[in-house]
């Protein structure tokens, strides 16, 4: 495995592979690898000849007062895991090599960035869209894997790649969870033992919403109230940021679960801000309608 820190070295290596007719894959990450990251890498390994992984805690996606300086890091362990999973290039640039002091070019997808996480993190998606564009231009991969864990991010990146006609297929990968349902996240490392014990309730609340729909309920106000009281009872240490039922592609909030829908949640739990989401498919057929 080659470790590259200079963006132009990544660009040269990727070009060399492309020109030799090799199929390439990229997995952008912020490191502190867990099984979620590793399944993205494994998919790339299986579906391409060369696998690139970027590890960059991107400063432009952190707002003032957020955890840029304390974001969990473990370079040695990440390097070993990347080797084990057959990564060909691990790209670990410095902040300065990715952003010139007078960097002033931004990529924005305002309609998809405004809601959900965009409400409490107004500059987050501009930072994500910009760094992902830069990474895609450097690596120019055939495929790039992103997790459904960050569903709004995945939706926005798909739209951005389509709009900018970038020559990469964006592959969305299912959420990897702990046995108790908690979605894996580098930020789970912030949780105390007591908080960790309550954290799986975040997913259970979403599953309860799905169950309400399966049982015939379609009114989202009713379902939301049900899940909010579920959290108040079962996740008392948590402070709800949002709980939204949105159209899976436009991310526009829905009032009735008459068609496919994505329920997304963000909740503060101690030092962590946890996010999760679940696809809800109302059963079709008249008898299940209410
Ligand atoms: P991060 O390092 O947190 O920026 O994540 C890098 C990539 O891994 C993103 O595309 C995430 O959506 C994805 N990812 C993070 N956690 C999970 C998970 N639990 N399951 C699947 N993908 C994940």
């Amino acid at each position: 495995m080659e470790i590259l820190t200079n963006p132009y070295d990544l660009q040269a290596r990727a070009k060399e592979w492309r020109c030799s007719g090799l199929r390439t894959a990229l997995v952008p990450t912020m490191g502190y690898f867990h099984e979620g990251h590793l399944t993205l890498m494994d998919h790339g390994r299986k579906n391409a000849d060369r696998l690139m992984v970027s590890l960059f805690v991107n400063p432009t996606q952190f707002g003032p007062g957020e955890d840029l300086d304390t974001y969990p890091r473990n370079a040695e362990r990440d390097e070993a895991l990347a080797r084990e999973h057959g990564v060909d290039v691990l790209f670990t640039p410095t902040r300065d090599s990715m952003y010139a002091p007078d960097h002033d070019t931004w990529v924005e997808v305002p309609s998809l960035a405004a809601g959900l996480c965009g409400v409490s993190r107004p500059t987050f998606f501009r930072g994500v869209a910009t760094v992902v564009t830069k990474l895609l231009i450097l690596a120019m991969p055939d495929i790039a894997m992103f997790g459904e864990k960050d569903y709004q991010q995945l939706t926005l990146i798909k739209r951005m790649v389509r709009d900018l006609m970038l020559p990469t297929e964006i592959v969305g990968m299912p959420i990897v969870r702990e046995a108790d349902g908690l979605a894996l996240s580098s930020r789970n490392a912030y949780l105390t033992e007591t908080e960790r014990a309550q954290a799986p309730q975040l997913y259970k609340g979403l599953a309860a919403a799905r169950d309400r729909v399966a049982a015939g309920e379609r009114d989202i106000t009713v379902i939301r109230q049900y899940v909010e009281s579920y959290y108040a009872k079962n996740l008392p240490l948590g402070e709800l940021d949002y709980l939204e039922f949105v159209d899976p592609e436009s991310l526009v909030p829905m009032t009735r679960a008459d068609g496919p829908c994505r329920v997304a949640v963000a909740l503060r739990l101690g030092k962590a801000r946890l996010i999760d989401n679940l696809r809800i498919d109302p059963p079709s057929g008249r008898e299940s309608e209410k």
Side-chain angles (χ1 to χ4, degrees):
M1 183 177 80
E2 197 176 12
I3 298 178
L4 298 178
T5 54
N6 182 326
Y8 296 103
D9 289 343
L10 174 70
Q11 195 163 49
R13 180 68 70 249
K15 185 176 175 192
E16 184 189 304
W17 287 336
R18 236 180 8 264
C19 292
S20 344
L22 295 169
R23 183 173 157 83
T24 59
L26 172 71
V27 179
T29 80
M30 299 209 300
Y32 210 68
F33 295 152
H34 52 66
E35 208 49 50
H37 298 111
L38 300 175
T39 50
L40 269 54
M41 293 181 206
D42 292 346
H43 185 88
R45 183 67 282 160
K46 277 197 203 97
N47 291 279
D49 303 308
R50 293 290 182 272
L51 173 61
M52 300 170 268
V53 171
S54 62
L55 193 173
F56 180 52
V57 182
N58 172 39
T60 64
Q61 69 191 66
F62 288 79
E66 290 187 354
D67 56 347
L68 173 61
D69 295 327
T70 54
Y71 193 82
R73 290 168 169 85
N74 189 338
E76 261 175 44
R77 181 172 172 274
D78 283 354
E79 201 184 306
L81 285 169
R83 269 182 217 284
E84 272 172 37
H85 286 260
V87 173
D88 294 295
V89 160
L90 184 64
F91 176 53
T92 59
T94 59
R95 289 182 201 191
D96 294 350
S97 68
M98 286 297 280
Y99 293 102
D102 55 351
H103 170 98
D104 197 23
T105 303
W106 300 98
V107 181
E108 298 195 61
V109 191
S111 63
L112 295 178
L116 304 175
C117 287
V119 175
S120 61
R121 307 187 74 190
T123 57
F124 173 70
F125 288 110
R126 181 181 89 149
V128 168
T130 302
V131 79
V132 171
T133 302
K134 287 160 81 92
L135 291 168
L136 291 177
I137 289 173
L138 289 170
M140 213 56 101
D142 291 286
I143 53 172
M145 274 60 66
F146 292 86
E148 286 184 354
K149 159 84 192 333
D150 301 275
Y151 188 77
Q152 186 175 14
Q153 169 176 289
L154 170 65
T155 309
L156 181 142
I157 286 167
K158 280 186 180 161
R159 179 81 65 90
M160 174 189 93
V161 163
R162 187 206 68 184
D163 288 352
L164 295 177
M165 298 172 173
L166 296 174
T168 298
E169 180 197 338
I170 301 302
V171 181
M173 299 286 296
I175 303 177
V176 179
R177 300 180 179 281
E178 302 278 9
D180 60 14
L182 176 65
L184 297 190
S185 164
S186 307
R187 288 188 168 104
N188 292 349
Y190 296 147
L191 299 173
T192 64
E193 211 176 306
T194 329
E195 290 159 359
R196 175 64 187 80
Q198 285 186 22
Q201 298 298 336
L202 189 65
Y203 170 67
K204 298 206 166 82
L206 301 184
R210 187 186 52 195
D211 294 345
R212 300 315 305 152
V213 176
E217 183 58 63
R218 294 287 179 275
D219 186 337
I220 288 199
T221 310
V222 173
I223 305 169
R224 176 187 282 111
Q225 275 166 4
Y226 180 86
V227 180
E228 281 176 0
S229 41
Y230 181 92
Y231 287 146
K233 184 159 170 241
N234 297 290
L235 231 170
L237 291 174
E239 194 190 317
L240 197 60
D241 182 351
Y242 66 76
L243 171 69
E244 293 273 7
F245 296 73
V246 296
D247 176 274
E249 279 177 35
S250 68
L251 304 184
V252 170
M254 294 167 66
T255 53
R256 289 188 58 79
D258 289 326
C261 145
R262 202 92 193 183
V263 55
V265 66
L267 173 132
R268 288 177 198 282
L269 188 55
K271 285 200 195 108
R273 179 176 175 280
L274 304 180
I275 58 170
D276 201 347
N277 67 85
L278 191 66
R279 183 192 159 109
I280 296 183
D281 286 307
S284 54
R286 286 199 147 268
E287 64 285 3
S288 65
E289 282 170 20
K290 189 180 165 187

